[in-house]
Amino acid sequence: MNRLGIVAIALTLIVVISAGCARKHTYIAPGGKVTVSEKQGKAKKVEVKTAEGKATIEVDKKNITAKELGVPVYPGAKVETAGSYEGDSKGQTEKMHNCILTTSDNFEKVYGFYKSNLKNVKNSFNQNTGDNKMAVFSVAGDNGEEIAVNISTDNEKKITRVQVVRVQK
């Protein structure tokens, strides 16, 4: 399993374990430390620091800007979760930002917005299988960034989900 996968599992476990605690707690582990910031007994931010880098996830972020995402924010979309990872690999710093947005607007409307408003699209595809719909745009961002915009339906919750992953080297 790669380093990012291990960090993601650690973040998930810490959020689940610490949900009943209050304020800010730091846990020291053999490979680094984990800090959990809470508000009203719920984890809001988890930060993992190791020798290889730092990962942060915010589970209660209310707003996000186009500047943070590197692409336009779908109008009226709500932030479901947002996180970042910063680490060194072979002497190069890499930063990854991940944000999941949700909207009650239908897939076609969200897809049309991104198709019309994204610049520097390198690749894209749009796939429909029955009621499940998914589209991906690969975008060349500023300063050599790679940005992926993934749009999908959640038929159970009746929402459209937009995930933006931005990698900076």
Side-chain angles (χ1 to χ4, degrees):
M1 180 178 286
N2 67 25
R3 173 181 56 200
L4 189 55
I6 292 170
V7 169
I9 290 170
L11 286 172
T12 303
L13 287 173
I14 294 300
V15 169
V16 170
I17 290 169
S18 64
C21 302
R23 294 196 174 85
K24 190 174 189 178
H25 300 278
T26 299
Y27 305 93
I28 306 298
K33 69 179 184 176
V34 177
T35 303
V36 180
S37 302
E38 301 165 353
K39 186 176 181 182
Q40 298 174 341
K42 294 183 179 179
K44 300 298 180 187
K45 181 178 179 181
V46 178
E47 193 173 76
V48 178
K49 290 183 182 178
T50 70
E52 296 173 344
K54 176 175 108 174
T56 304
I57 188 164
E58 293 182 61
V59 293
D60 195 33
K61 189 170 175 92
K62 299 288 184 202
N63 298 308
I64 195 133
T65 65
K67 185 175 181 178
E68 290 174 283
L69 288 181
V71 297
V73 177
Y74 185 78
K78 294 180 180 163
V79 178
E80 187 173 275
T81 187
S84 63
Y85 166 81
E86 183 175 330
D88 290 321
S89 177
K90 300 176 186 170
Q92 272 195 327
T93 299
E94 181 176 89
K95 295 179 183 180
M96 182 184 82
H97 302 279
N98 181 40
C99 183
I100 299 175
L101 305 165
T102 60
T103 178
S104 59
D105 288 352
N106 67 39
F107 176 86
E108 287 76 16
K109 187 173 181 180
V110 177
Y111 174 77
F113 171 82
Y114 280 103
K115 186 174 181 180
S116 298
N117 289 289
L118 289 176
K119 295 179 170 106
N120 302 322
V121 175
K122 297 185 331 182
N123 296 304
S124 68
F125 78 86
N126 184 357
Q127 180 177 357
N128 299 320
T129 308
D131 288 343
N132 297 317
K133 298 174 182 178
M134 185 174 110
V136 178
F137 294 96
S138 177
V139 178
D142 298 334
N143 303 318
E145 299 171 321
E146 297 287 330
I147 303 171
V149 178
N150 306 303
I151 305 165
S152 60
T153 56
D154 185 330
N155 294 323
E156 187 176 305
K157 293 183 179 179
K158 298 184 179 172
I159 59 171
T160 301
R161 190 170 277 121
V162 178
Q163 179 182 24
V164 179
V165 179
R166 179 180 180 195
V167 178
Q168 300 166 291
K169 295 184 181 192

